Amino acid sequence: ETGVTQTPRHLVMGMTNKKSLKCEQHLGHNAMYWYKQSAKKPLELMFVYSLEERVENNSVPSRFSPECPNSSHLFLHLHTLQPEDSALYLCASSQFRQGAPYEQYFGPGTRLTVT
Amino acid sequence: AQKITQTQPGMFVQEKEAVTLDCTYDTSDQSYGLFWYKQPSSGEMIFLIYQGSYDEQNATEGRYSLNFQKARKSANLVISASQLGDSAMYFCAMRASTGSARQLTFGSGTQLTVLP
């Protein structure tokens, strides 16, 4: 596997279900991100994990819970979601270096539908 | 706060022609970075090109170039010799030096369609 992988690619879940999205990066990066992409809206940063910090977008509801057990893996735990949570969830990683661009590399995304 | 504006929801270009996708930004930071990403219908965001605020020359990567006009706060993407495979959504993004250094702010995107 190379780059950033995400599983599952598609997920349909009811509002009472609990599920988890998984992201794995094979690039040796030290920061990982979760983004939400809804139709007709800009990408919304949800969470950032790096060696030095965890950053959370305060507008993200508590029904989304991130977990980063190590620098290569990132999870997004979902529970009691709402239909408006249906979106494409993108994971990304980057390598933070002083003075460097540290562009983010994205996975293919998980298309989530909440019924 | 940082803001990215992409005023073209959709653009059409003839195959083999050049096209410019507009991006303006707003920041009070002196040091920042500007990025362009491509998102095909498959969903994956593909990094295309980067421009640093202190870079004196416009960035180029193959058929992609960034027309950086700092005084106007614009960072337009130019795609030369368009190909059918260039049809996708294109996002401009900015990383500022304040706040979390790892956060990117994205624009709303431009849907580019290359016509045969």
Side-chain angles (χ1 to χ4, degrees):
Chain A
E1 292 279 13
T2 58
V4 181
T5 57
Q6 289 186 243
T7 55
R9 295 293 309 276
H10 300 273
L11 178 62
V12 179
M13 59 186 290
M15 290 191 284
T16 58
N17 291 157
K18 289 185 180 181
K19 295 286 184 183
S20 295
L21 309 185
K22 178 183 176 182
C23 175
E24 185 173 359
Q25 59 97 0
H26 309 269
L27 301 168
H29 288 167
N30 59 12
M32 297 186 76
Y33 314 74
W34 278 118
Y35 287 89
K36 176 184 179 182
Q37 187 177 29
S38 304
K40 311 292 185 185
K41 290 185 178 181
L43 266 74
E44 175 189 357
L45 179 66
M46 300 176 73
F47 303 101
V48 181
Y49 274 90
S50 71
L51 293 175
E52 293 82 28
E53 62 181 349
R54 165 185 158 167
V55 176
E56 182 171 335
N57 182 340
N58 290 331
S59 67
V60 176
S62 59
R63 55 186 182 267
F64 293 92
S65 174
E67 179 189 0
C68 190
N70 55 60
S71 61
S72 299
H73 295 86
L74 185 64
F75 296 89
L76 188 62
H77 303 300
L78 318 170
H79 64 97
T80 58
L81 294 190
Q82 303 297 311
E84 61 264 28
D85 298 323
S86 297
L88 181 68
Y89 289 85
L90 290 162
C91 174
S93 70
S94 70
Q95 179 66 20
F96 174 64
R97 301 185 303 275
Q98 282 292 350
Y102 45 91
E103 63 271 18
Q104 296 179 14
Y105 291 87
F106 285 77
T110 294
R111 176 70 64 185
L112 174 66
T113 302
V114 181
T115 60
Chain B
Q2 291 77 41
K3 185 178 180 181
I4 294 283
T5 302
Q6 294 180 253
T7 57
Q8 307 154 315
M11 287 281 287
F12 291 88
V13 65
Q14 208 68 38
E15 193 178 7
K16 300 181 184 178
E17 297 290 316
V19 63
T20 299
L21 306 183
D22 294 342
C23 172
T24 58
Y25 59 91
D26 188 20
T27 181
S28 56
D29 290 343
Q30 296 302 309
S31 175
Y32 50 89
L34 296 156
F35 302 79
W36 276 93
Y37 284 85
K38 171 185 178 182
Q39 187 179 39
S41 56
S42 59
E44 183 174 355
M45 298 278 282
I46 302 167
F47 167 69
L48 295 179
I49 196 167
Y50 167 81
Q51 179 85 42
S53 58
Y54 292 119
D55 294 341
E56 294 185 352
Q57 291 192 331
N58 287 341
T60 60
E61 288 287 347
R63 293 186 299 109
Y64 305 108
S65 61
L66 202 152
N67 183 1
F68 181 46
Q69 298 188 43
K70 195 169 183 177
R72 293 186 175 185
K73 293 189 174 179
S74 74
N76 298 339
L77 177 70
V78 180
I79 306 175
S80 63
S82 297
Q83 302 172 356
L84 296 177
D86 294 334
S87 293
M89 197 76 169
Y90 288 81
F91 292 94
C92 180
M94 177 172 65
R95 169 189 52 77
S97 62
T98 55
S100 171
R102 294 159 185 78
Q103 292 189 28
L104 291 180
T105 301
F106 284 82
S108 56
T110 296
Q111 179 69 49
L112 176 66
T113 302
V114 180
L115 303 171

